[in-house]
Amino acid sequence: MNPLFHFGRYVILMKRAFSKPEKSSIYISRIFEEMNILGIGSLGIVAIISVFMGAVITIQSAFNFESPLIPIYAVGVAVRDSMILEFSPAIISLILAGKVGSSIASEIGTMRVTEQIDALEIMGINSAGYLIQPKIIASVLFSPVLIVFSMFLGILGGYVFGLLTGVVTDYEYVYGITYSFRPYNVFYALIKAGVFAFIIASVPAYHGYYTKGGSFEVGRSSTKGVVYSSVLILAFDLILTQLLLA
Amino acid sequence: MIQINNISKSFGDRKVLNDVTFTFESGKTNIIIGQSGSGKTALIRCMVGLNEIDSGEVLYDGRSFHTLDFKGKKEIRKEIGMLFQGSALFDSKTVEENVVFPLSMFTDLSEAEKRERANFCLQRVNLPNAGKLYPSELSGGMKKRVAIARAISVQPKYLYCDEPNSGLDPKTSIVIDTLIKEITEEYGITTVVITHDMNSVLEIGDNILFIYNGVKWWEGNHSDILKTTNQELQDFVYATKFMKELKTKF
Ligand SMILES: Nc1ncnc2c1ncn2[C@@H]1O[C@H](COP(=O)(O)OP(=O)(O)OP(=O)(O)O)[C@@H](O)[C@H]1O
Ligand SMILES: [Mg+2]
C-alpha cells in the first residue's frame, strides 16, 4: 500500500501512544515490565554475538595487517572503532529488530485479532498508550545499557581470542584500544542506538496494531515489522552517520 | 438509557445495518436476537464506537456518542462494561488480574479492596477458585464467565453482553441469565444482551429487538414474542423441536 498512508497512520499512532497516560503509576510499572522482557531478555544474545564479533574482527584484521608498515596494535584500534562505531549500535540493533521486533508485532497483533485491544478501548483505556508507549520507552532507555555492554564484550572478546590465537600481545592490544580514543564516538553510537531502539519498538508495534484478520495475518505483521524496521535502521544508520560524523 | 436513531453501516459495499432505530431502557434487559450474520455484533460494535457508523446517532442518556472527541468518548466508555463474543480476556494476566485490571486503571481502591471486589465478582459468576489460573487454562464457558466478571467489576452504567451463554451448560446458563437480570435491576443498568438462546429470551427479555439482514424486523417483549405473526420471527422463535411442540400447546 501507499507509503505515505503508512507514514501518516504511523505518526497518528505515535501521537496517540504518547498522549497523557491514564494513570502514571501503572505506566511506570509497565515500563519496568517491558525493560525486563525486551532489555534483560536480550542480554544473552547480545553477549554471544558481541564476543564473537570482537573475536572475528581481531583475527581478520591481524590477518589483513600483515604488512611491516602497519603496527600490530592497529588490531586493537580496529576492534575498538568497528565495535563502537558500527557493530555494537547497528548490527546489534538489526539482531534485536529480529528478536524484539517480531515479539512485539506478534504480541500486539494477537491482542488485536482476539479483540483484547477492543476490550482495552471499551474500558476507556488508550490502547496505543497502554501497549506501545511503555515498549518504546523501555526499549530506548535500555538501549545504552545493551550497547555499552556489547562494546565492552566485543573488545573483551577480541582481547581473549587475540591472546589465545597469539595474533596480538597483551600490551599491543591494550595500547591499541586506548590509542587516540575519542569519547565522542561512544556518544555518537549511543545516539544512533537510541534512534534504532525507537524504530525497533515502534515499527513492529505499528504493524501489530493494525493487523486485520487472524493468526495468518499476525504472522505477516510480524514479518513486516521485522523487515521494515531493519530497512529503516539501515537508512537511519546512513543518515545519522552523515549528520554526526561528517 | 441508550437510544439509537437510524443507524446504518456498510463494510465495503455490503450493507450490514440499515436504518436501525431502537431504545434500550435502563434497569431492563434489552435483548437483540437474529440469525447468525444478521448484524447483531456489528450493531453493538457501532454503538460503542469500535466500528464507525455511516449515518445515524447513538445517545447515552442524551449524550450523542459519535459527535464526541476521543476524550469525551473515553468518559462514556468508562461507564460501559462489555462482554465480547470471544471473551477477549488478557491472556498475559491471571483471571484475578483480568478482573482487577479495570479497577486499577480507574479507581483508587487499595490492593486488598480491589482483590475483594474481584473475588466478589468471580463468586457471582460461580468461579470462586479460579483467580490464580490463566485464561489458557480455562474452558470456553469459564472464559465467558470471567469476562462477565471483568465487565461488571467497575459497576458499569451500560452493560453489553455478546452471547453470554453460548457454550454454557443449561444450568450455568440460567445462573448467568439470572445474574445479568439481577444486577441490571439492582443497579439500574442499561443492559444489552445478544443471544440465540430462546430460553434466555423468554427468561430475561424485557425489550426484544429482532434483527433480520441488518434491518429492525420486529420489537416487543417476551410475552408478545410467542404470539407473533411475523413470519421470519416465527421461523427464528420456533426453530427448535421443543419450541414447536410448545407452540402446538397454545
Ligand atoms: N470487520 C468486518 N469487515 C467486513 N465485514 C464484516 C465485518 N464485521 C462483520 N462483517 C459482516 O457483517 C455481517 C454481520 O456480522 P455480525 O458479526 O454482526 O453478525 P452476528 O449477527 O453477530 O452473527 P453471529 O450470531 O454469528 O455472531 C456479517 O455478514 C459479516 O460478514
Ligand atoms: Mg455476533
Side-chain angles (χ1 to χ4, degrees):
Chain A
M1 232 192 287
N2 187 345
L4 269 181
F5 166 81
H6 282 292
F7 180 69
R9 202 165 61 157
Y10 171 83
V11 171
I12 293 169
L13 182 66
M14 288 304 120
K15 240 181 86 185
R16 274 193 55 204
F18 282 92
S19 61
K20 198 175 156 293
E22 279 85 20
K23 206 168 183 183
S24 336
S25 59
I26 290 192
Y27 275 69
I28 292 169
S29 68
R30 283 271 300 124
I31 291 173
F32 281 105
E33 207 179 308
E34 294 294 346
M35 271 195 191
N36 196 15
I37 300 169
L38 305 178
I40 309 274
S42 302
L43 285 173
I45 188 167
V46 168
I48 293 171
I49 290 166
S50 303
V51 168
F52 277 90
M53 280 194 310
V56 169
I57 302 168
T58 302
I59 296 166
Q60 276 187 352
S61 41
F63 174 74
N64 284 319
F65 294 168
E66 267 178 1
S67 145
L69 293 177
I70 306 173
I72 200 70
Y73 70 76
V75 171
V77 179
V79 174
R80 181 196 71 200
D81 282 350
S82 23
M83 283 310 293
I84 291 180
L85 291 174
E86 186 65 13
F87 282 75
S88 290
I91 304 294
I92 292 295
S93 294
L94 284 173
I95 304 276
L96 291 179
K99 177 184 180 286
V100 172
S102 61
S103 90
I104 290 178
S106 49
E107 179 191 335
I108 296 183
T110 303
M111 291 188 75
R112 165 63 74 196
V113 302
T114 55
E115 296 184 313
Q116 293 177 51
I117 291 184
D118 291 337
L120 284 171
E121 289 288 329
I122 282 300
M123 290 174 189
I125 295 164
N126 170 2
S127 59
Y130 179 78
L131 293 174
I132 301 176
Q133 189 199 74
K135 287 190 197 296
I136 296 179
I137 294 181
S139 173
V140 172
L141 285 184
F142 209 80
S143 82
V145 178
L146 283 180
I147 297 311
V148 170
F149 178 68
S150 157
M151 291 171 180
F152 174 78
L153 284 183
I155 294 170
L156 185 71
Y159 176 80
V160 171
F161 280 85
L163 293 194
L164 279 180
T165 54
V167 296
V168 282
T169 64
D170 178 30
Y171 172 79
E172 284 158 339
Y173 191 84
V174 174
Y175 181 77
I177 59 176
T178 51
Y179 179 80
S180 80
F181 171 66
R182 289 170 67 202
Y184 177 79
N185 286 356
V186 175
F187 169 76
Y188 153 81
L190 293 183
I191 296 286
K192 272 209 314 194
V195 173
F196 298 162
F198 191 95
I199 294 173
I200 290 170
S202 65
V203 172
Y206 166 80
H207 286 284
Y209 195 82
Y210 287 108
T211 304
K212 273 204 179 94
S215 54
F216 177 69
E217 282 80 6
V218 172
R220 278 187 30 151
S221 295
S222 167
T223 308
K224 274 195 213 156
V226 173
V227 170
Y228 285 108
S229 52
S230 304
V231 172
L232 283 172
I233 286 172
L234 293 173
F236 273 87
D237 194 17
L238 190 62
I239 295 169
L240 290 172
T241 303
Q242 181 65 24
L243 283 179
L244 295 170
L245 284 192
Chain B
M1 188 173 78
I2 311 171
Q3 234 171 313
I4 54 174
N5 294 325
N6 311 100
I7 298 239
S8 294
K9 169 74 187 171
S10 304
F11 287 111
D13 46 4
R14 263 200 55 214
K15 196 146 195 158
V16 293
L17 291 172
N18 197 349
D19 208 28
V20 181
T21 298
F22 194 72
T23 302
F24 301 89
E25 288 180 85
S26 59
K28 297 259 168 78
T29 318
N30 304 276
I31 291 199
I32 306 176
I33 52 175
Q35 280 173 11
S36 180
S38 56
K40 305 180 297 295
T41 302
L43 177 62
I44 64 168
R45 286 180 65 90
C46 284
M47 288 170 69
V48 296
L50 288 175
N51 290 340
E52 291 298 318
I53 49 176
D54 300 336
S55 60
E57 61 174 358
V58 180
L59 302 171
Y60 283 87
D61 288 306
R63 295 168 293 174
S64 170
F65 186 77
H66 289 83
T67 56
L68 293 169
D69 62 355
F70 189 66
K71 241 173 129 180
K73 282 185 181 151
K74 228 166 97 167
E75 288 312 308
I76 292 187
R77 281 178 171 176
K78 285 183 196 171
E79 303 172 354
I80 295 177
M82 185 154 173
L83 164 68
F84 287 82
Q85 196 163 359
S87 297
L89 295 176
F90 303 123
D91 43 27
S92 61
K93 296 184 192 299
T94 63
V95 164
E96 188 180 82
E97 286 164 351
N98 262 283
V99 182
V100 162
F101 182 73
L103 296 170
S104 313
M105 266 344 240
F106 299 115
T107 65
D108 290 313
L109 299 177
S110 70
E111 276 310 308
E113 288 169 319
K114 281 186 282 193
R115 198 147 299 156
E116 196 181 319
R117 171 85 193 143
N119 286 321
F120 171 75
C121 294
L122 286 170
Q123 211 127 32
R124 291 207 75 162
V125 294
N126 251 351
L127 282 174
N129 300 316
K132 295 284 170 282
L133 299 176
Y134 281 89
S136 59
E137 300 169 305
L138 304 178
S139 72
M142 286 163 92
K143 283 186 195 157
K144 273 261 142 85
R145 287 185 277 156
V146 175
I148 294 175
R150 183 177 69 180
I152 62 176
S153 71
V154 282
Q155 302 197 334
K157 274 177 77 173
Y158 313 101
L159 177 63
Y160 291 93
C161 298
D162 197 344
E163 304 197 7
N165 40 27
S166 69
L168 296 184
D169 61 278
K171 224 174 128 194
T172 316
S173 189
I174 289 173
V175 170
I176 295 300
D177 281 347
T178 314
L179 167 70
I180 291 174
K181 193 175 173 67
E182 265 172 26
I183 60 169
T184 299
E185 288 170 0
E186 207 171 312
Y187 304 110
I189 302 173
T190 307
T191 301
V192 180
V193 177
I194 295 179
T195 187
H196 287 143
D197 185 359
M198 272 318 290
N199 208 22
S200 311
V201 174
L202 298 176
E203 198 85 30
I204 62 171
D206 294 321
N207 297 325
I208 300 161
L209 165 63
F210 175 60
I211 303 247
Y212 185 77
N213 283 340
V215 177
K216 177 171 87 177
W217 210 252
W218 183 89
E219 66 181 300
N221 62 36
H222 60 267
S223 44
D224 305 338
I225 199 169
L226 293 174
K227 299 176 228 143
T228 180
T229 51
N230 184 311
Q231 189 55 47
E232 286 74 20
L233 182 58
Q234 274 193 354
D235 289 349
F236 183 88
V237 172
Y238 297 108
T240 61
K241 204 172 154 203
F242 173 76
M243 289 299 291
K244 274 188 200 118
E245 275 170 22
L246 195 73
K247 193 182 177 190
T248 57
K249 297 219 169 83
F250 279 123

PDB file of all heavy atoms in Angstrom, chain B residues 11-12 14 16 34-43 45 51 85 162-163 194 196, ligand 1:
ATOM      1  N   PHE B  11     -19.868  -2.480   5.241  1.00  0.00           N
ATOM      2  CA  PHE B  11     -18.461  -2.865   5.111  1.00  0.00           C
ATOM      3  C   PHE B  11     -18.203  -2.959   3.614  1.00  0.00           C
ATOM      4  O   PHE B  11     -18.733  -3.858   2.965  1.00  0.00           O
ATOM      5  CB  PHE B  11     -18.182  -4.206   5.781  1.00  0.00           C
ATOM      6  CG  PHE B  11     -18.197  -4.132   7.287  1.00  0.00           C
ATOM      7  CD1 PHE B  11     -19.210  -4.741   8.011  1.00  0.00           C
ATOM      8  CD2 PHE B  11     -17.193  -3.464   7.971  1.00  0.00           C
ATOM      9  CE1 PHE B  11     -19.222  -4.679   9.396  1.00  0.00           C
ATOM     10  CE2 PHE B  11     -17.201  -3.406   9.359  1.00  0.00           C
ATOM     11  CZ  PHE B  11     -18.218  -4.011  10.071  1.00  0.00           C
ATOM     12  N   GLY B  12     -17.414  -2.062   3.082  1.00  0.00           N
ATOM     13  CA  GLY B  12     -17.235  -2.011   1.629  1.00  0.00           C
ATOM     14  C   GLY B  12     -18.578  -1.686   0.998  1.00  0.00           C
ATOM     15  O   GLY B  12     -19.239  -0.741   1.408  1.00  0.00           O
ATOM     16  N   ARG B  14     -21.060  -3.842   1.189  1.00  0.00           N
ATOM     17  CA  ARG B  14     -22.075  -4.706   1.829  1.00  0.00           C
ATOM     18  C   ARG B  14     -22.736  -3.966   2.966  1.00  0.00           C
ATOM     19  O   ARG B  14     -22.095  -3.584   3.935  1.00  0.00           O
ATOM     20  CB  ARG B  14     -21.412  -5.972   2.358  1.00  0.00           C
ATOM     21  CG  ARG B  14     -21.589  -7.083   1.367  1.00  0.00           C
ATOM     22  CD  ARG B  14     -21.421  -8.466   1.926  1.00  0.00           C
ATOM     23  NE  ARG B  14     -22.228  -8.848   3.045  1.00  0.00           N
ATOM     24  CZ  ARG B  14     -21.798  -9.660   3.992  1.00  0.00           C
ATOM     25  NH1 ARG B  14     -20.561 -10.098   3.973  1.00  0.00           N
ATOM     26  NH2 ARG B  14     -22.598 -10.013   4.975  1.00  0.00           N
ATOM     27  N   VAL B  16     -24.559  -3.891   6.216  1.00  0.00           N
ATOM     28  CA  VAL B  16     -24.868  -4.857   7.278  1.00  0.00           C
ATOM     29  C   VAL B  16     -25.890  -4.317   8.268  1.00  0.00           C
ATOM     30  O   VAL B  16     -26.546  -5.083   8.970  1.00  0.00           O
ATOM     31  CB  VAL B  16     -23.603  -5.324   8.043  1.00  0.00           C
ATOM     32  CG1 VAL B  16     -22.708  -6.132   7.140  1.00  0.00           C
ATOM     33  CG2 VAL B  16     -22.852  -4.170   8.638  1.00  0.00           C
ATOM     34  N   GLY B  34     -31.477 -12.570  16.426  1.00  0.00           N
ATOM     35  CA  GLY B  34     -31.380 -12.591  14.972  1.00  0.00           C
ATOM     36  C   GLY B  34     -30.464 -13.716  14.553  1.00  0.00           C
ATOM     37  O   GLY B  34     -29.667 -14.211  15.349  1.00  0.00           O
ATOM     38  N   GLN B  35     -30.600 -14.103  13.290  1.00  0.00           N
ATOM     39  CA  GLN B  35     -29.780 -15.206  12.779  1.00  0.00           C
ATOM     40  C   GLN B  35     -28.300 -14.856  12.814  1.00  0.00           C
ATOM     41  O   GLN B  35     -27.941 -13.685  12.841  1.00  0.00           O
ATOM     42  CB  GLN B  35     -30.135 -15.445  11.322  1.00  0.00           C
ATOM     43  CG  GLN B  35     -31.378 -16.245  11.102  1.00  0.00           C
ATOM     44  CD  GLN B  35     -31.722 -16.282   9.617  1.00  0.00           C
ATOM     45  OE1 GLN B  35     -30.924 -15.878   8.779  1.00  0.00           O
ATOM     46  NE2 GLN B  35     -32.912 -16.763   9.321  1.00  0.00           N
ATOM     47  N   SER B  36     -27.506 -15.893  12.716  1.00  0.00           N
ATOM     48  CA  SER B  36     -26.069 -15.673  12.614  1.00  0.00           C
ATOM     49  C   SER B  36     -25.771 -14.847  11.366  1.00  0.00           C
ATOM     50  O   SER B  36     -26.291 -15.113  10.293  1.00  0.00           O
ATOM     51  CB  SER B  36     -25.379 -17.039  12.530  1.00  0.00           C
ATOM     52  OG  SER B  36     -24.015 -16.847  12.441  1.00  0.00           O
ATOM     53  N   GLY B  37     -24.962 -13.814  11.533  1.00  0.00           N
ATOM     54  CA  GLY B  37     -24.605 -12.964  10.395  1.00  0.00           C
ATOM     55  C   GLY B  37     -25.593 -11.862  10.100  1.00  0.00           C
ATOM     56  O   GLY B  37     -25.440 -11.126   9.135  1.00  0.00           O
ATOM     57  N   SER B  38     -26.623 -11.710  10.961  1.00  0.00           N
ATOM     58  CA  SER B  38     -27.649 -10.708  10.663  1.00  0.00           C
ATOM     59  C   SER B  38     -27.205  -9.297  11.043  1.00  0.00           C
ATOM     60  O   SER B  38     -27.850  -8.328  10.653  1.00  0.00           O
ATOM     61  CB  SER B  38     -28.946 -11.058  11.386  1.00  0.00           C
ATOM     62  OG  SER B  38     -28.691 -11.182  12.766  1.00  0.00           O
ATOM     63  N   GLY B  39     -26.119  -9.173  11.816  1.00  0.00           N
ATOM     64  CA  GLY B  39     -25.616  -7.832  12.121  1.00  0.00           C
ATOM     65  C   GLY B  39     -25.709  -7.443  13.584  1.00  0.00           C
ATOM     66  O   GLY B  39     -25.562  -6.274  13.924  1.00  0.00           O
ATOM     67  N   LYS B  40     -25.904  -8.418  14.476  1.00  0.00           N
ATOM     68  CA  LYS B  40     -26.063  -8.099  15.899  1.00  0.00           C
ATOM     69  C   LYS B  40     -24.763  -7.568  16.507  1.00  0.00           C
ATOM     70  O   LYS B  40     -24.756  -6.516  17.143  1.00  0.00           O
ATOM     71  CB  LYS B  40     -26.520  -9.356  16.672  1.00  0.00           C
ATOM     72  CG  LYS B  40     -27.764 -10.002  16.128  1.00  0.00           C
ATOM     73  CD  LYS B  40     -28.171 -11.229  16.907  1.00  0.00           C
ATOM     74  CE  LYS B  40     -27.178 -12.364  16.875  1.00  0.00           C
ATOM     75  NZ  LYS B  40     -26.964 -12.973  15.542  1.00  0.00           N
ATOM     76  N   THR B  41     -23.690  -8.324  16.290  1.00  0.00           N
ATOM     77  CA  THR B  41     -22.405  -7.871  16.830  1.00  0.00           C
ATOM     78  C   THR B  41     -22.013  -6.546  16.190  1.00  0.00           C
ATOM     79  O   THR B  41     -21.532  -5.630  16.875  1.00  0.00           O
ATOM     80  CB  THR B  41     -21.312  -8.938  16.581  1.00  0.00           C
ATOM     81  OG1 THR B  41     -21.721 -10.151  17.195  1.00  0.00           O
ATOM     82  CG2 THR B  41     -19.988  -8.513  17.167  1.00  0.00           C
ATOM     83  N   ALA B  42     -22.237  -6.445  14.891  1.00  0.00           N
ATOM     84  CA  ALA B  42     -21.912  -5.192  14.199  1.00  0.00           C
ATOM     85  C   ALA B  42     -22.665  -4.032  14.836  1.00  0.00           C
ATOM     86  O   ALA B  42     -22.102  -2.948  15.022  1.00  0.00           O
ATOM     87  CB  ALA B  42     -22.262  -5.313  12.722  1.00  0.00           C
ATOM     88  N   LEU B  43     -23.912  -4.263  15.216  1.00  0.00           N
ATOM     89  CA  LEU B  43     -24.703  -3.185  15.813  1.00  0.00           C
ATOM     90  C   LEU B  43     -24.091  -2.714  17.131  1.00  0.00           C
ATOM     91  O   LEU B  43     -23.886  -1.514  17.341  1.00  0.00           O
ATOM     92  CB  LEU B  43     -26.157  -3.641  16.037  1.00  0.00           C
ATOM     93  CG  LEU B  43     -27.052  -2.617  16.729  1.00  0.00           C
ATOM     94  CD1 LEU B  43     -27.190  -1.353  15.897  1.00  0.00           C
ATOM     95  CD2 LEU B  43     -28.434  -3.196  17.020  1.00  0.00           C
ATOM     96  N   ARG B  45     -21.034  -3.121  18.175  1.00  0.00           N
ATOM     97  CA  ARG B  45     -19.707  -2.523  17.937  1.00  0.00           C
ATOM     98  C   ARG B  45     -19.846  -1.088  17.437  1.00  0.00           C
ATOM     99  O   ARG B  45     -19.043  -0.231  17.772  1.00  0.00           O
ATOM    100  CB  ARG B  45     -18.894  -3.369  16.951  1.00  0.00           C
ATOM    101  CG  ARG B  45     -18.358  -4.666  17.577  1.00  0.00           C
ATOM    102  CD  ARG B  45     -17.553  -5.479  16.586  1.00  0.00           C
ATOM    103  NE  ARG B  45     -16.328  -4.791  16.176  1.00  0.00           N
ATOM    104  CZ  ARG B  45     -15.157  -4.907  16.798  1.00  0.00           C
ATOM    105  NH1 ARG B  45     -15.040  -5.685  17.859  1.00  0.00           N
ATOM    106  NH2 ARG B  45     -14.108  -4.252  16.371  1.00  0.00           N
ATOM    107  N   ASN B  51     -16.689   0.246  15.697  1.00  0.00           N
ATOM    108  CA  ASN B  51     -16.825   0.461  14.261  1.00  0.00           C
ATOM    109  C   ASN B  51     -17.452   1.832  14.074  1.00  0.00           C
ATOM    110  O   ASN B  51     -18.335   2.225  14.839  1.00  0.00           O
ATOM    111  CB  ASN B  51     -17.735  -0.583  13.620  1.00  0.00           C
ATOM    112  CG  ASN B  51     -17.096  -1.961  13.600  1.00  0.00           C
ATOM    113  OD1 ASN B  51     -15.883  -2.095  13.708  1.00  0.00           O
ATOM    114  ND2 ASN B  51     -17.919  -2.976  13.465  1.00  0.00           N
ATOM    115  N   GLN B  85     -17.936 -11.453  22.212  1.00  0.00           N
ATOM    116  CA  GLN B  85     -18.356 -12.793  21.786  1.00  0.00           C
ATOM    117  C   GLN B  85     -17.231 -13.811  22.020  1.00  0.00           C
ATOM    118  O   GLN B  85     -17.475 -14.933  22.419  1.00  0.00           O
ATOM    119  CB  GLN B  85     -18.754 -12.754  20.307  1.00  0.00           C
ATOM    120  CG  GLN B  85     -19.559 -13.955  19.877  1.00  0.00           C
ATOM    121  CD  GLN B  85     -20.290 -13.735  18.550  1.00  0.00           C
ATOM    122  OE1 GLN B  85     -20.220 -12.675  17.945  1.00  0.00           O
ATOM    123  NE2 GLN B  85     -20.999 -14.744  18.115  1.00  0.00           N
ATOM    124  N   ASP B 162     -22.296  -9.932  24.526  1.00  0.00           N
ATOM    125  CA  ASP B 162     -22.458 -10.602  23.233  1.00  0.00           C
ATOM    126  C   ASP B 162     -22.449 -12.107  23.465  1.00  0.00           C
ATOM    127  O   ASP B 162     -21.403 -12.694  23.702  1.00  0.00           O
ATOM    128  CB  ASP B 162     -21.333 -10.184  22.284  1.00  0.00           C
ATOM    129  CG  ASP B 162     -21.677 -10.497  20.829  1.00  0.00           C
ATOM    130  OD1 ASP B 162     -22.610 -11.288  20.601  1.00  0.00           O
ATOM    131  OD2 ASP B 162     -21.001  -9.944  19.934  1.00  0.00           O
ATOM    132  N   GLU B 163     -23.616 -12.695  23.413  1.00  0.00           N
ATOM    133  CA  GLU B 163     -23.801 -14.131  23.638  1.00  0.00           C
ATOM    134  C   GLU B 163     -23.169 -14.608  24.942  1.00  0.00           C
ATOM    135  O   GLU B 163     -22.223 -15.394  24.930  1.00  0.00           O
ATOM    136  CB  GLU B 163     -23.265 -14.914  22.438  1.00  0.00           C
ATOM    137  CG  GLU B 163     -23.947 -14.416  21.177  1.00  0.00           C
ATOM    138  CD  GLU B 163     -23.806 -15.357  20.000  1.00  0.00           C
ATOM    139  OE1 GLU B 163     -23.294 -16.465  20.194  1.00  0.00           O
ATOM    140  OE2 GLU B 163     -24.249 -14.979  18.915  1.00  0.00           O
ATOM    141  N   ILE B 194     -27.001  -9.873  23.517  1.00  0.00           N
ATOM    142  CA  ILE B 194     -27.229 -10.573  22.253  1.00  0.00           C
ATOM    143  C   ILE B 194     -27.315 -12.048  22.578  1.00  0.00           C
ATOM    144  O   ILE B 194     -26.482 -12.570  23.329  1.00  0.00           O
ATOM    145  CB  ILE B 194     -26.049 -10.353  21.291  1.00  0.00           C
ATOM    146  CG1 ILE B 194     -25.960  -8.886  20.895  1.00  0.00           C
ATOM    147  CG2 ILE B 194     -26.195 -11.238  20.058  1.00  0.00           C
ATOM    148  CD1 ILE B 194     -24.809  -8.590  19.960  1.00  0.00           C
ATOM    149  N   HIS B 196     -28.802 -16.186  21.171  1.00  0.00           N
ATOM    150  CA  HIS B 196     -29.521 -17.081  20.262  1.00  0.00           C
ATOM    151  C   HIS B 196     -30.463 -17.954  21.062  1.00  0.00           C
ATOM    152  O   HIS B 196     -31.222 -18.740  20.496  1.00  0.00           O
ATOM    153  CB  HIS B 196     -28.540 -18.034  19.563  1.00  0.00           C
ATOM    154  CG  HIS B 196     -27.723 -17.371  18.528  1.00  0.00           C
ATOM    155  ND1 HIS B 196     -26.421 -17.693  18.304  1.00  0.00           N
ATOM    156  CD2 HIS B 196     -28.023 -16.410  17.645  1.00  0.00           C
ATOM    157  CE1 HIS B 196     -25.953 -16.943  17.321  1.00  0.00           C
ATOM    158  NE2 HIS B 196     -26.906 -16.155  16.915  1.00  0.00           N
TER     159      HIS B 196
HETATM  160  N1  LIG C   1     -14.967  -6.101  10.091  1.00  0.00           N
HETATM  161  C1  LIG C   1     -15.786  -6.566   9.154  1.00  0.00           C
HETATM  162  N2  LIG C   1     -15.481  -6.449   7.850  1.00  0.00           N
HETATM  163  C2  LIG C   1     -16.317  -6.901   6.893  1.00  0.00           C
HETATM  164  N3  LIG C   1     -17.484  -7.498   7.135  1.00  0.00           N
HETATM  165  C3  LIG C   1     -17.872  -7.656   8.403  1.00  0.00           C
HETATM  166  C4  LIG C   1     -17.038  -7.203   9.484  1.00  0.00           C
HETATM  167  N4  LIG C   1     -17.665  -7.486  10.654  1.00  0.00           N
HETATM  168  C5  LIG C   1     -18.824  -8.082  10.308  1.00  0.00           C
HETATM  169  N5  LIG C   1     -18.961  -8.184   8.973  1.00  0.00           N
HETATM  170  C6  LIG C   1     -20.108  -8.742   8.238  1.00  0.00           C
HETATM  171  O1  LIG C   1     -21.272  -8.189   8.794  1.00  0.00           O
HETATM  172  C7  LIG C   1     -22.295  -9.146   8.903  1.00  0.00           C
HETATM  173  C8  LIG C   1     -22.849  -9.132  10.303  1.00  0.00           C
HETATM  174  O2  LIG C   1     -21.876  -9.662  11.167  1.00  0.00           O
HETATM  175  P1  LIG C   1     -22.110  -9.781  12.723  1.00  0.00           P
HETATM  176  O3  LIG C   1     -20.817 -10.146  13.324  1.00  0.00           O
HETATM  177  O4  LIG C   1     -22.759  -8.553  13.201  1.00  0.00           O
HETATM  178  O5  LIG C   1     -23.124 -10.994  12.802  1.00  0.00           O
HETATM  179  P2  LIG C   1     -23.890 -11.519  14.076  1.00  0.00           P
HETATM  180  O6  LIG C   1     -25.315 -11.170  13.897  1.00  0.00           O
HETATM  181  O7  LIG C   1     -23.235 -11.056  15.305  1.00  0.00           O
HETATM  182  O8  LIG C   1     -23.735 -13.083  13.886  1.00  0.00           O
HETATM  183  P3  LIG C   1     -23.396 -14.220  14.985  1.00  0.00           P
HETATM  184  O9  LIG C   1     -24.670 -14.546  15.644  1.00  0.00           O
HETATM  185  O10 LIG C   1     -22.897 -15.343  14.149  1.00  0.00           O
HETATM  186  O11 LIG C   1     -22.382 -13.668  15.913  1.00  0.00           O
HETATM  187  C9  LIG C   1     -21.695 -10.480   8.515  1.00  0.00           C
HETATM  188  O12 LIG C   1     -22.216 -10.816   7.254  1.00  0.00           O
HETATM  189  C10 LIG C   1     -20.225 -10.245   8.430  1.00  0.00           C
HETATM  190  O13 LIG C   1     -19.699 -10.910   7.325  1.00  0.00           O
END
